[in-house]
């Protein structure tokens, strides 16, 4: 068991309370039931704009469940029932006026296992822009695809095989392809559910670097099991336990002086 | 006799297994190379093989001998005359078995007596021989057993050989059928030129029995049959393709699990309806209905039409398409759906752009299977589309297909070397070639578009 605190380096520019940054996502009294199972209890959380927020906590505590609330992916699970209020830029995402298609264009998602479509690299990235009609001409589409691949740090590696199948890339490349696919529709928020858990350390480092760049333009929420990763990439951290949000705050604070005993136990590896 | 022999065989095999096993079980288990059950199985096999061999060689041998002696006793001069010899032999056997109707002659009775006594002798000999071989085999098997004996390897080699033999039977049967059809086809082509056969526009296989017979020109052009087969199959696929595929999409992507659990088996029952019953339906219900409604529209519809047969055949193959497509659609990983929904795609966009392309190879093979079934189907066409070999692509006329013509030619008494009869083999060969091509194409498509999900 590791008993020392995780060593954290937070760039000086990122220190300071959340109040410094505009709030992008607001969750109030969010509850999720899967049939009889009460998976998420009364979660209240503010997520700042243009920053990385990490969700940590032991397995089964509801991190993915909370993440899926934010782009209403729980709608695709028949037994799931979500209550409470979630706002993005002050607008309720459960508003019946709002089309879930529009919501998901604004809130992109990257999954734990890379899941490129069995199509070419190009078609994978072009998928979202085509669906949402973001490009009027082939030239515009080409431009979106290339710039998305560039921002995902993948372009140099795949520029000669845009026509090859996306499933033929390496795991790390596939995951960056999925990130490119997500940013191709210019979302405002990107949700990432353990995006590096299937990757080796080098691919992981690349993705972490990428997140650091992406947060200049996007609001990023990442679920991770790696304390080090949360410390490296995030500015704010929220700790979940048994379906409740226990504590949240600047990453530095959570990792150095947590208020709750359970948070301390978790980050020092005493359970989880 | 056969029963007794196999009872002996089974008891010896069981005994061999038991002794082999207990011999091995008595040895210290640690020193044993193979587990006791393998030792038992080894001895059992050692008994089984020689005893089967004795039976397989002994029975025909004894039979031949008894027959030869019996015929000799009846009339030695018969040996050369195959036809009469056969007839006499039948009588002898009948008398020996007490099934002869009428009063047998003295010579016949003598011969039957010879036959009977020889048979009972040889039976006794065979059982004794089998028993001796079996016991020897047990002794031999037990002697070769020892702690280090690799019984498992021997048993597994035996199993491999048995499996190989079974696989070979399937392959050899296919090869045998293909070759026999091929040879008959070549004989057919001695009578009718392949060019006429493949490109002729008239099909009327009645050959003249008398020179002055009218209407029996004996034309063997298969183009009308090709057209009929294609027409009916196309109609069937036009009916079954969309219905089958769309119901598969509905079942796999939209329906609740409960609905799917109920409806899928019901759809599959459709595949189990005997085609005769479907043919009934086509001929007695659908065809008249089509004719009447066609009449209302001022169309001239034959009472037997390609349309009726095609529609009913389409209904027959719906379950092949729907059930298989449903399976392959279900095999598309959930993560791809999630990825698509998370991009803001709707359900129908996801189906169109992600799921169907991913399942494409499987759907193609479902279609190919359905087409093979449709091309090979006979009963529905016989009952609903008629026998007239019209060269037409009008679905409202009567047409005929390969299978129907094969059936028509071969039903009833036939001379076995007339061009008409041989034509059935040539048709069969072409049909076989056609389905083979279809399968090869399907395999290529499947290989090319198969998606590996890890
Ligand atoms: N589709 C579902 N149907 C029923 N229960 C579910 C479903 N998805 C999650 N749950 C339950 O909800 C609880 C929270 O699950 P969730 O996936 O959010 O956990 P998590 O924190 O992401 O865990 P992990 O770190 O292992 O991914 C768990 O107890 C889980 O069993
Ligand atoms: Mg999770």
């Amino acid at each position: 068991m590791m008993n020392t605190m995780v060593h954290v380096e937070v760039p000086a520019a990122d220190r300071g309370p959340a109040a410094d940054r505009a709030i992008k996502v607001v969750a109030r009294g969010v509850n999720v039931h899967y049939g009889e199972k009460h998976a998420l209890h009364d979660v209240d959380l503010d997520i700042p704009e243009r920053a990385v927020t990490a969700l940590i906590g032991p397995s089964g505590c509801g991190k993915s469940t909370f993440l899926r609330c934010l782009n209403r992916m729980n709608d695709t699970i028949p037994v799931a029932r979500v209550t409470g209020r979630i706002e993005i830029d002050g607008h309720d995402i459960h508003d019946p006026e709002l089309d879930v298609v529009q919501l998901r264009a604004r809130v992109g998602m990257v999954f734990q296992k890379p899941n490129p479509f069995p199509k070419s690299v190009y078609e994978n990235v072009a998928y979202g822009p085509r669906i949402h009609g973001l490009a009027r001409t082939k030239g515009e589409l080409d431009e979106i695809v290339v710039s998305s691949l560039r921002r995902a740090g993948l372009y140099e590696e795949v520029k000669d095989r845009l026509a090859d199948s996306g499933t033929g890339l390496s795991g790390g490349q596939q995951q960056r392809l999925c990130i490119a696919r997500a940013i191709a529709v210019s979302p405002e928020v990107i949700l990432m559910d353990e995006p590096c858990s299937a990757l080796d350390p080098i691919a992981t480092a690349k993705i972490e670097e990428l997140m650091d760049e992406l947060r200049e333009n996007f609001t990023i929420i990442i679920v991770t099991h790696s304390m080090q990763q949360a410390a490296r990439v995030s500015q704010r951290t929220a700790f979940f336990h048994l379906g409740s949000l226990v504590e949240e705050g600047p990453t530095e604070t959570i990792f150095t002086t947590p208020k709750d005993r359970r948070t301390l136990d978790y980050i020092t590896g005493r359970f989880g | 006799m056969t029963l007794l022999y196999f009872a002996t065989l089974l008891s010896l095999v069981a005994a061999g297994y038991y002794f082999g096993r207990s011999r091995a079980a008595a040895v210290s288990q640690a020193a044993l190379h193979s587990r006791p059950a393998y030792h038992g199985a080894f001895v059992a096999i050692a008994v089984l093989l020689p005893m089967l061999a004795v039976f397989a060689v002994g029975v025909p041998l004894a039979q031949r001998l008894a027959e030869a002696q019996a015929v000799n006793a009846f009339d030695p001069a018969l040996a050369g005359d195959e036809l009469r010899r056969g007839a006499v032999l039948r009588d002898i056997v009948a008398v020996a078995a007490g099934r002869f109707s009428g009063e047998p002659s003295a010579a016949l009775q003598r011969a039957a007596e010879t036959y009977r006594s020889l048979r009972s002798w040889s039976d006794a000999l065979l059982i004794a021989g089998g028993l001796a071989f079996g016991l020897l085999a047990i002794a031999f098997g037990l002697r070769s057993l020892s702690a280090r004996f690799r019984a498992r390897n021997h048993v597994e080699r035996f199993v491999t050989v048995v499996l190989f033999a079974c696989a070979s039977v399937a392959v050899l049967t296919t090869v045998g059928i293909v070759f026999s059809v091929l040879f008959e086809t070549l004989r057919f082509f001695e009578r009718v030129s392949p060019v006429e056969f493949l490109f002729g526009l008239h099909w009327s296989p009645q050959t003249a029995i008398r020179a002055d017979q009218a209407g029996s020109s004996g034309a063997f052009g298969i183009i009308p049959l090709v057209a009929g087969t294609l027409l009916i199959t196309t109609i069937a696929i036009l009916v079954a393709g969309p219905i089958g595929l769309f119901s598969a999409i509905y079942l796999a992507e939209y329906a609740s699990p409960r609905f799917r659990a109920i409806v899928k088996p019901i759809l599959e029952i459709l595949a189990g309806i005997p085609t005769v019953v479907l043919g009934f339906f086509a001929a007695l219900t659908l065809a008249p209905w089509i004719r009447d409604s066609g009449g209302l529209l001022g169309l001239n519809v034959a009472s037997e039409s390609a349309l009726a047969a095609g529609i009913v055949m389409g209904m027959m193959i719906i379950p092949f398409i729907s059930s298989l497509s449903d399976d392959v659609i279900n095999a598309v990983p959930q993560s791809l759906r999630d990825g698509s929904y998370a991009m803001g795609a709707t359900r129908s966009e996801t189906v169109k752009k992600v799921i169907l392309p991913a399942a494409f190879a499987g759907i193609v093979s479902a279609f190919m299977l359905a087409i093979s079934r449709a091309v090979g189907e006979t009963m529905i066409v016989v009952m609903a589309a008629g026998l007239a070999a019209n060269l037409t692509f009008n679905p409202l006329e009567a047409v005929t297909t390969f299978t129907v013509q094969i059936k028509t030619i071969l039903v009833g008494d036939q001379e076995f070397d007339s061009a008409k009869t041989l034509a059935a083999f040539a048709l069969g060969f072409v049909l076989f070639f056609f389905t083979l091509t279809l399968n090869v194409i399907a395999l290529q498509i499947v290989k090319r578009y198969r998606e590996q999900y890890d």
Side-chain angles (χ1 to χ4, degrees):
Chain A
M1 286 284 120
M2 168 173 90
N3 220 353
T4 53
M5 291 290 178
V6 177
H7 178 65
V8 191
E9 266 178 71
V10 179
D14 294 331
R15 293 182 200 185
D20 284 8
R21 278 184 266 261
I23 298 299
K24 182 81 183 172
V25 182
V26 176
R28 288 292 175 266
V30 174
N31 281 278
V32 178
H33 294 259
Y34 291 112
E36 292 296 296
K37 186 174 165 55
H38 195 175
L40 215 55
H41 305 261
D42 275 329
V43 173
D44 297 336
L45 185 62
D46 290 350
I47 290 166
E49 197 177 43
R50 295 171 207 276
V52 178
T53 302
L55 310 182
I56 60 170
S59 188
C61 67
K63 306 179 295 289
S64 302
T65 301
F66 179 71
L67 204 66
R68 282 199 307 265
C69 289
L70 302 181
N71 64 345
R72 285 178 51 186
M73 277 300 274
N74 284 327
D75 290 9
T76 65
I77 302 174
V79 294
R81 193 159 50 81
V82 182
T83 56
R85 190 174 175 82
I86 298 172
E87 290 174 359
I88 295 182
D89 289 336
H91 299 296
D92 184 2
I93 66 166
H94 291 113
D95 186 347
E97 294 285 293
L98 180 88
D99 189 357
V100 71
V101 168
Q102 303 305 316
L103 172 69
R104 289 182 189 152
R106 287 171 60 202
V107 184
M109 187 163 199
V110 176
F111 295 81
Q112 173 169 4
K113 229 183 80 192
N115 58 350
F117 301 132
K119 300 168 176 288
S120 70
V121 170
Y122 183 96
E123 285 300 324
N124 262 282
V125 184
Y127 188 76
R130 278 198 213 277
I131 283 178
H132 298 290
L134 299 184
R136 262 171 323 225
T137 64
K138 177 89 176 87
E140 275 179 33
L141 190 61
D142 287 350
E143 207 173 294
I144 295 180
V145 169
V146 170
S147 78
S148 304
L149 284 169
R150 274 231 170 77
R151 285 160 91 183
L154 188 61
Y155 185 68
E156 289 305 317
E157 288 162 63
V158 300
K159 63 175 181 230
D160 299 325
R161 37 186 180 141
L162 291 179
D164 294 0
S165 175
T167 49
L169 301 178
S170 78
Q173 288 172 332
Q174 287 188 16
Q175 194 63 304
R176 275 178 287 151
L177 179 62
C178 291
I179 294 176
R181 183 175 74 187
I183 59 187
V185 292
S186 314
E188 298 154 33
V189 182
I190 301 177
L191 312 174
M192 299 188 176
D193 195 348
E194 302 180 42
C196 302
S197 64
L199 306 182
D200 68 273
I202 294 175
T204 301
K206 278 203 174 133
I207 303 237
E208 289 181 0
E209 219 174 282
L210 181 60
M211 279 188 257
D212 216 48
E213 286 163 22
L214 291 177
R215 83 179 149 88
E216 286 178 15
N217 300 306
F218 304 97
T219 302
I220 297 177
I221 308 174
I222 176 179
V223 170
T224 176
H225 273 147
S226 155
M227 248 41 71
Q228 283 82 356
Q229 184 170 62
R232 278 194 301 264
V233 302
S234 74
Q235 287 73 53
R236 290 188 72 84
T237 298
F239 172 66
F240 285 75
H241 185 49
L242 297 179
S244 307
L245 174 64
V246 173
E247 184 172 357
E248 67 93 19
T251 299
E252 195 190 23
T253 319
I254 296 288
F255 278 95
T256 51
T257 51
K259 293 200 246 355
D260 198 287
R261 178 81 207 162
R262 289 168 291 177
T263 317
L264 182 67
D265 285 350
Y266 182 70
I267 60 175
T268 52
R270 256 182 292 233
F271 69 76
Chain B
M1 141 66 194
T2 310
L3 202 68
L4 186 60
Y5 189 89
F6 277 94
T8 319
L9 185 148
L10 275 183
S11 15
L12 283 185
V13 164
Y17 179 81
Y18 175 76
F19 286 129
R21 197 189 141 102
S22 37
R23 261 287 288 280
V27 184
S28 140
Q29 294 298 300
L32 221 49
H33 169 270
S34 309
R35 277 184 290 116
Y38 282 112
H39 289 264
F42 174 76
V43 180
I45 293 168
V47 176
L48 181 70
L49 291 183
M51 284 190 73
L52 280 181
V54 166
F55 189 82
V57 175
V59 168
L61 208 68
Q63 175 89 25
R64 283 281 178 75
L65 205 78
E67 282 174 358
Q69 291 297 328
V71 171
N72 210 25
F74 182 78
D75 180 3
L78 276 179
D81 188 345
E82 264 313 311
L83 240 112
R84 277 197 56 215
R85 186 180 182 275
V88 168
L89 203 55
R90 260 197 301 284
D91 286 348
I92 295 175
V93 174
V95 173
R99 280 190 276 103
F100 192 72
S101 50
E103 195 52 38
S105 67
L108 203 56
Q109 257 177 2
R110 209 163 356 93
E113 193 44 51
T114 316
Y115 180 79
R116 200 169 359 186
S117 79
L118 266 174
R119 283 311 299 262
S120 55
W121 264 104
S122 65
D123 284 359
L125 208 67
L126 218 70
I127 291 186
L131 197 66
F133 263 93
L135 289 175
L136 267 176
I138 292 188
F140 161 80
L142 286 177
R143 265 210 28 224
S144 45
L145 294 190
S146 72
R148 308 288 336 132
F149 183 66
R150 297 169 173 260
R152 172 162 46 82
N153 304 25
H154 289 285
V155 171
E156 299 211 320
R157 180 147 1 111
F158 173 75
V159 172
T160 317
V161 170
V162 170
L163 295 180
F164 176 79
C166 290
S168 312
V169 168
V171 173
L172 289 180
T173 314
T174 314
V175 171
I177 291 176
V178 169
F179 270 91
S180 75
V181 173
L182 180 65
F183 285 133
E184 301 300 331
T185 305
L186 291 180
R187 279 179 63 198
F188 172 75
F189 284 143
E190 285 165 9
R191 274 153 241 244
V192 176
S193 92
V195 176
E196 186 198 329
F197 179 69
L198 291 176
F199 303 108
L201 299 182
H202 287 284
W203 176 263
S204 123
Q206 302 304 333
T207 38
I209 296 170
R210 298 188 316 274
D212 60 342
Q213 213 172 17
S216 330
S217 48
F220 292 98
I222 62 168
I223 295 294
L225 306 190
V226 174
T229 306
L230 284 183
L231 182 61
I232 291 184
T233 308
T234 309
I235 296 173
I237 289 296
L238 286 181
V239 170
I243 296 182
L245 186 58
F246 292 161
S247 55
I249 292 173
Y250 179 75
L251 285 182
E253 293 295 318
Y254 293 87
S256 71
R258 252 196 45 212
F259 182 80
R260 179 167 181 262
I262 296 170
V263 170
K264 201 177 174 197
I266 294 181
L267 261 175
E268 278 161 7
I269 289 177
L270 205 52
I273 298 179
T275 53
V276 172
V277 177
L278 288 174
F280 243 82
F281 172 69
L284 300 184
T285 312
L286 192 64
W289 184 82
I290 290 178
R291 192 190 49 216
D292 295 347
S293 3
L296 288 182
L297 297 174
L299 292 171
N300 189 10
V301 184
S303 60
E304 289 170 323
S305 66
L307 190 60
I311 290 176
V312 172
M313 199 190 273
M315 291 172 41
M316 174 189 83
I317 60 177
I318 285 173
F320 288 91
I321 296 184
S322 68
S323 189
L324 287 174
S325 303
D326 175 70
D327 288 342
V328 295
I329 290 175
N330 256 301
V332 174
Q334 181 61 32
S335 66
L336 290 185
R337 293 187 184 88
D338 288 344
S340 174
Y341 292 141
M343 292 303 301
T346 61
R347 230 187 246 220
S348 65
E349 284 166 337
T350 305
V351 168
K352 243 182 358 229
K353 299 191 166 187
V354 174
I355 291 173
L356 290 184
F360 183 70
I363 292 174
V364 168
S365 42
F367 269 75
M368 289 297 168
L369 184 70
I371 293 177
S372 307
R373 274 304 301 254
V375 169
E377 172 53 34
T378 315
M379 216 53 204
I380 293 175
V381 189
V382 172
M383 297 175 77
L387 299 172
N390 293 329
L391 176 50
T392 176
F393 281 104
N394 179 355
L396 303 178
E397 278 183 49
V399 296
T400 190
T401 65
F402 277 83
T403 49
V404 169
Q405 286 308 314
I406 294 175
K407 173 236 142 219
T408 315
I409 288 172
L410 292 183
V411 164
D413 289 335
Q414 300 295 338
E415 261 181 280
F416 230 79
D417 52 359
S418 73
K420 180 184 166 189
T421 314
L422 290 173
F425 290 95
L427 286 181
F429 190 74
V430 174
L431 192 60
F432 169 77
F433 190 77
F434 182 69
T435 34
L436 187 73
T437 316
L438 218 60
N439 280 329
V440 170
I441 295 174
L443 272 182
Q444 288 304 321
I445 295 177
V446 168
K447 243 199 332 231
R448 184 126 157 246
Y449 291 97
R450 160 152 301 151
E451 271 314 322
Q452 249 82 38
Y453 317 119
D454 42 15

